[in-house]
Amino acid sequence: MSASLLSKTLIAAVAASALYALPTSVAEAQGYGEGGIRAGAFMVYPEASVTAVYNDNVFAADVGAPPPASIESDFITTLAASVSAESGWSRHALNLNAGLSQKFYQDNTGDDRFGWNIGGDGRVDITRDTSVSAGLSYTQTHEDRDFPDAVANAAEPTEFSVLQAEISLDHRFNRVTTRVGAGYADYDYDNVPLIGGGVFVQDDRDYERFNQFVQLGYDVSPDTNVYIRGTLNQRKYDQQPPVVATDRDSDGYSVVGGAEFRVTNLVRGGVYAGYQEQSYDDPTLPEISGLSYGANLDWSVTPLTTIRLEAAATIEETTTVGASGYMAQSVGIGVDHELTRDVTVGARASYGNNDYEGVGRSDDIIRAGVGVDYLINRNFSVGLAYDYTERSSNVPGLDFDRNEVGLTLKAKL
């Protein structure tokens, strides 16, 4: 994309509008959370955005790797739009959403990518104490160049689609809460062309994931529920031996205890911890087991300052030769502070580790960033952000660091 076209795109996007996602406290304090268009019993929320980013290492290349590895920078413009609709019924609920995005690279146009998603979820209130919830979504997207399983010499990013569905039944016995449910996901990866010619076939990555869970909880107070949850999962790959060398089908489970709570308006969110295990059908693939944990907390330190904490430990899939999968662990913290009614500053940092079972590979990922957001009015805002990413691996050629500086213009109706 030329510089003149980029500037025209930015101007057009501002005129056309785009939404900025504000911290809840900021939006509520200024009345910016009251947008939307009423359509009968639904509230409709249209949004759009344009982001211009300078990325000094678009291919996540290792500066110490031998040729042909090289560090390339680029300017990337992302146009995005979405719409969601929420019902306002006294009983039952229905939510619908759809979105699309287009990335334009100024120099590396082969990485230009279009993505979209559509989905919905709802709830049927059978009685005051019993309800059924369900959701369905489809996403067409791509893997970023720094994805753990990204093809090293791919001429373009890997595109893939995800179809997801879930259903659950909730019932309350006074203070005792129960929930049972199941979920399904289908992952379909496209083949990618290689630098220098040829195609890398990725049909061996296509798989389906099934899960079933049972949760039993107790309301300690009106704002706090403690629970124990057991989950089973089955992961089934489309291709089996002898078409592929390894049978990557697996079965797993997790057992966790946790709590969801709200302490007045100061702290709200949830935490859980327990044990998880994944066993593979192929005898050459070792099982993966360890802690299962998660956290999502918002702490309003003052009316103007909010601290967010997130953590997770999950077992993820890989097609790395010799590896059964990897344990992905991460913890992150973010701080938002309102300098004035119109200006919010923020900072965030996270640490993650991907530990591959069976091959000895271990990646450490550090992310950090700062940003400032200016609310032009209830419909428009602008944000400036800096982000840093670093991956350190014990496998040669996988280390990289990246700096990104971005300007985002957003608006909503």
Side-chain angles (χ1 to χ4, degrees):
M1 176 178 287
S2 65
S4 61
L5 179 57
L6 175 59
S7 61
K8 292 178 182 177
T9 302
L10 291 172
I11 295 172
V14 176
S17 86
L19 163 67
Y20 192 70
L22 304 172
T24 303
S25 56
V26 180
E28 292 177 349
Q30 304 187 45
Y32 293 154
E34 301 172 0
I37 303 170
R38 181 164 292 281
F42 286 82
M43 286 298 296
V44 181
Y45 301 93
E47 309 174 357
S49 66
V50 58
T51 302
V53 173
Y54 171 76
N55 185 323
D56 71 353
N57 189 358
V58 293
F59 297 127
D62 185 350
V63 68
S70 62
I71 307 298
E72 292 193 38
S73 60
D74 209 340
F75 285 93
I76 307 162
T77 301
T78 302
L79 306 179
S82 65
V83 61
S84 62
E86 301 176 0
S87 65
W89 306 324
S90 58
R91 295 184 67 240
H92 317 305
L94 178 62
N95 307 306
L96 305 172
N97 63 82
L100 54 85
S101 66
Q102 174 69 60
K103 280 190 174 184
F104 296 101
Y105 285 72
Q106 180 170 303
D107 297 325
N108 300 280
T109 57
D111 275 29
D112 291 355
R113 281 294 173 273
F114 176 77
W116 60 277
N117 66 275
I118 188 169
D121 61 79
R123 186 191 72 251
V124 176
D125 298 321
I126 301 173
T127 68
R128 190 179 70 172
D129 297 323
T130 306
S131 64
V132 175
S133 301
L136 180 67
S137 67
Y138 179 84
T139 302
Q140 181 70 48
T141 185
H142 68 278
E143 292 178 341
D144 289 336
R145 291 287 192 166
D146 63 352
F147 190 77
D149 270 13
V151 181
N153 60 335
E156 59 187 45
T158 293
E159 294 185 333
F160 70 99
S161 63
V162 184
L163 173 65
Q164 292 180 289
E166 58 186 8
I167 187 169
S168 63
L169 171 66
D170 292 81
H171 184 72
R172 171 183 294 276
F173 302 90
N174 295 321
R175 288 192 172 190
V176 177
T177 61
T178 61
R179 172 177 291 182
V180 295
Y184 169 80
D186 179 78
Y187 295 80
D188 187 3
Y189 293 84
D190 293 348
N191 302 333
V192 292
L194 299 175
I195 297 173
V199 174
F200 189 84
V201 178
Q202 300 197 91
D203 292 338
D204 63 330
R205 297 182 66 185
D206 299 344
Y207 76 100
E208 297 174 291
R209 181 182 299 198
F210 305 83
N211 68 77
Q212 310 83 35
F213 71 89
V214 177
Q215 180 172 310
L216 179 64
Y218 182 77
D219 288 337
V220 178
S221 71
D223 294 322
T224 302
N225 179 268
V226 295
Y227 63 85
I228 182 170
R229 181 174 66 239
T231 304
L232 300 175
N233 77 79
Q234 304 84 37
R235 306 177 187 184
K236 306 297 181 182
Y237 278 76
D238 293 356
Q239 291 193 343
Q240 297 291 325
V243 178
V244 292
T246 305
D247 181 358
R248 292 193 169 276
D249 287 359
S250 65
D251 298 277
Y253 72 90
S254 68
V255 179
V256 301
E260 296 175 348
F261 49 84
R262 180 181 181 124
V263 182
T264 63
N265 288 323
L266 295 179
V267 181
R268 59 183 177 182
V271 297
Y272 67 84
Y275 178 82
Q276 60 183 331
E277 181 178 297
Q278 199 75 22
S279 300
Y280 299 83
D281 289 359
D282 195 308
T284 65
L285 298 179
E287 72 174 29
I288 304 177
S289 61
L291 285 176
S292 173
Y293 59 81
N296 191 342
L297 302 174
D298 285 350
W299 176 26
S300 299
V301 183
T302 72
L304 301 178
T305 305
T306 301
I307 296 177
R308 293 178 173 83
L309 176 66
E310 295 182 345
T314 58
I315 298 174
E316 300 297 334
E317 297 296 292
T318 184
T319 51
T320 300
V321 177
S324 51
Y326 63 92
M327 178 73 76
Q329 301 186 70
S330 64
V331 59
I333 188 170
V335 180
D336 289 309
H337 179 72
E338 301 170 34
L339 288 178
T340 68
R341 286 179 56 86
D342 301 321
V343 179
T344 301
V345 295
R348 55 203 171 277
S350 67
Y351 167 78
N353 174 262
N354 295 336
D355 188 10
Y356 288 71
E357 191 70 34
V359 295
R361 173 182 169 182
S362 181
D363 299 345
D364 294 319
I365 302 99
I366 296 174
R367 302 182 190 274
V370 294
V372 57
D373 307 315
Y374 173 62
L375 304 175
I376 301 171
N377 55 42
R378 62 177 295 127
N379 298 112
F380 294 86
S381 65
V382 59
L384 180 66
Y386 164 77
D387 290 286
Y388 173 77
T389 305
E390 176 186 309
R391 180 173 68 198
S392 300
S393 177
N394 59 1
V395 176
L398 295 181
D399 294 349
F400 82 92
D401 58 70
R402 170 189 288 164
N403 297 277
E404 297 175 272
V405 179
L407 176 68
T408 301
L409 305 176
K410 301 184 179 179
K412 67 177 181 179
L413 296 179

